[in-house]
């Protein structure tokens, strides 16, 4: 039985960690290097570092900042934002990342997933899927939630797996920053559609929300951000509740 992973997300822009609601109204949280080290010390299982404006600004990700962050960590580090090619992925891994996350670039050119997986191995390839509900469907959106696509979430998740993705980070834009709990229906649907790990993201507001997503869906990991950044709960608080609910967790 695999441990249920608790993943802390650092959304970064202009070298600072930020957080908003529904990908909007961003506010400054702090220095990514110090925050990553603090969350590792607190018991986080993994860190996800997302340069959330790299694609919008059509620039490379912040490789120097990634390197400084990676130097402080012993837990896995996933890096995303502005990665468009195998060369970008190699630069990220060279800077210390363990995995690379693709989002808009994968939707724009799905072959990117296969190219990176074939070169580096699918264990390195994460596809970050941002989803918004449109009527009775979940549609994939890109560029920080600003661009709608015609792809449905389940269809795209299955294609990502077929092309070589080793993991999916699934974010409900409707729940992002709202702290009302993960979208259980969405997470159940996508984790049931693929055979690779799904990381639930968007909506964590309390430790019981993390317990719920593990107990009610097939997610293998849960991503948290704002409730930790604002000091409402600690990683240890969340893991204690997970353990009390009977989930297998790594010690915090």
């Amino acid at each position: 039985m695999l441990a249920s992973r608790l993943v802390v997300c650092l959304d970064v822009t202009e070298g600072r960690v930020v957080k908003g609601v529904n990908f909007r109204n961003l506010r400054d949280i702090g220095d990514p290097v110090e925050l990553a080290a603090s969350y590792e010390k607190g018991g986080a299982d993994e860190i996800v570092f997302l340069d959330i404006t790299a694609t919008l600004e059509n620039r490379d990700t912040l490789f120097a900042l990634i390197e400084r962050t990676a130097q402080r960590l012993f837990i896995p580090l996933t890096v995303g934002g502005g990665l468009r090619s195998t060369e970008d992925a190699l630069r990220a891994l060279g800077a210390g990342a363990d995995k690379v996350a693709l989002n808009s670039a994968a939707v724009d050119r799905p072959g990117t997933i296969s190219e990176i997986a074939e070169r580096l191995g699918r264990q390195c390839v994460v596809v970050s899927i941002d989803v918004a509900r449109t009527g009775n469907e979940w549609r994939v959106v890109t560029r920080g939630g600003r661009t709608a696509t015609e792809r449905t979430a389940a269809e795209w998740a299955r294609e990502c797996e077929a092309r070589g993705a080793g993991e999916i980070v699934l974010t409900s834009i409707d729940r992002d920053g709202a702290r009302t709990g993960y979208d259980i229906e969405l997470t159940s649907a996508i984790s049931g559609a693929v055979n690779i790990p799904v990381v639930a993201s968007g909506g964590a507001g309390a430790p019981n929300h993390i317990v719920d997503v593990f107990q009610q869906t097939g997610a293998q990991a849960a991503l948290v951000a704002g409730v930790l950044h604002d000091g409402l709960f600690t990683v240890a608080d969340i893991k204690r509740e997970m353990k009390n609910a009977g989930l297998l967790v790594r010690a915090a």
Side-chain angles (χ1 to χ4, degrees), residues 14 23 29 57 98 103 134 143 145 148 156 187-189 204 225 232:
E14 297 181 355
F23 289 18
I29 300 297
E57 295 169 1
D98 298 283
N103 189 324
T134 303
R143 290 165 179 79
W156 177 229
T187 308
S188 294
L232 301 180

Side-chain angles (χ1 to χ4, degrees), residues 42-57:
D45 295 310
E46 298 184 23
I47 299 291
V48 172
F49 178 117
L50 298 178
D51 185 344
I52 61 172
T53 55
T55 296
L56 288 172
E57 295 169 1

Side-chain angles (χ1 to χ4, degrees), residues 86 89-90 93 98-102 112-127 160-161 163-167 196:
T86 303
L90 284 167
L93 296 181
D98 298 283
K99 295 181 278 189
V100 294
L102 306 173
T112 305
I113 302 170
S114 307
E115 291 167 7
I116 296 175
E118 289 168 7
R119 178 79 177 271
L120 303 176
R122 68 185 304 151
Q123 79 283 349
C124 292
V125 184
V126 178
V127 177
C160 291
E161 179 181 22
R163 288 182 176 275
E167 186 171 79
I196 55 177

Side-chain angles (χ1 to χ4, degrees), residues 138 140 152-159 189-190 193-194:
W138 290 297
V140 176
T152 65
E155 166 206 20
W156 177 229
R158 284 190 290 264
E159 181 174 346
I190 303 308
V194 297

Side-chain angles (χ1 to χ4, degrees), residues 1 5 22 104 107 109 118 148 162 185:
M1 182 179 177
R5 292 178 287 140
N22 308 131
S104 300
V107 176
R109 198 171 74 83
E118 289 168 7
E185 186 181 359

